[in-house]
Amino acid sequence: MGVALHITPRLLFATVYYNYYGDMKHVVETKRKGFVLCNRVGYVSHICEIFCLLGLTCVSSTEDFGIHRNCFTGFGICSFLNMFLSCVLSHWPRLSKSQMVRIKDINNPDMP
């Protein structure tokens, strides 16, 4: 019951994080479209994570194991994706253009 009541603040924080990272796109020097795409995918995965958690709360494994299993799988995948993208987005503006070029050179040594 407590998790179900906690859905609204979670949705609010998901939107706050989306707007926060959306406001940081002017700081990003390189790959701005990639930054915006990562932000959108992270937002969708965060919302999906929240609703999978709600499904886990409302449907017990003894009532309907299939729905519970799908919600658990979705929660695990979406929470991992959300956390990974959150780490990427929070670190992205700290990389300067020269660092991005060096990373590109390390990944593709044959490219000019």
Side-chain angles (χ1 to χ4, degrees):
M1 181 58 105
V3 174
L5 292 174
H6 199 253
I7 292 298
T8 304
R10 285 177 175 262
L11 290 171
L12 177 68
F13 277 110
T15 305
V16 167
Y17 278 125
Y18 176 73
N19 291 331
Y20 172 72
Y21 289 126
D23 290 341
M24 288 175 56
K25 69 183 173 189
H26 69 279
V27 177
V28 177
E29 295 177 1
T30 59
K31 309 278 186 187
R32 186 169 293 168
K33 289 182 182 179
F35 183 83
V36 172
L37 179 66
C38 284
N39 189 20
R40 288 181 183 158
V41 171
Y43 179 66
V44 169
S45 68
H46 200 169
I47 297 297
C48 182
E49 172 192 348
I50 292 167
F51 283 110
C52 286
L53 183 62
L54 180 64
L56 281 171
T57 303
C58 294
V59 179
S60 70
S61 60
T62 56
E63 288 178 24
D64 194 345
F65 181 72
I67 292 175
H68 191 80
R69 180 185 62 213
N70 291 337
C71 286
F72 184 76
T73 304
F75 176 74
I77 291 170
C78 290
S79 62
F80 174 77
L81 183 62
N82 177 37
M83 188 54 62
F84 176 74
L85 289 175
S86 178
C87 291
V88 168
L89 288 170
S90 64
H91 185 64
W92 197 316
R94 292 187 182 109
L95 294 175
S96 69
K97 197 171 194 173
S98 61
Q99 288 174 320
M100 292 297 282
V101 170
R102 274 187 270 152
I103 290 170
K104 182 180 172 185
D105 290 341
I106 291 169
N107 290 334
N108 298 322
D110 297 332
M111 300 218 27

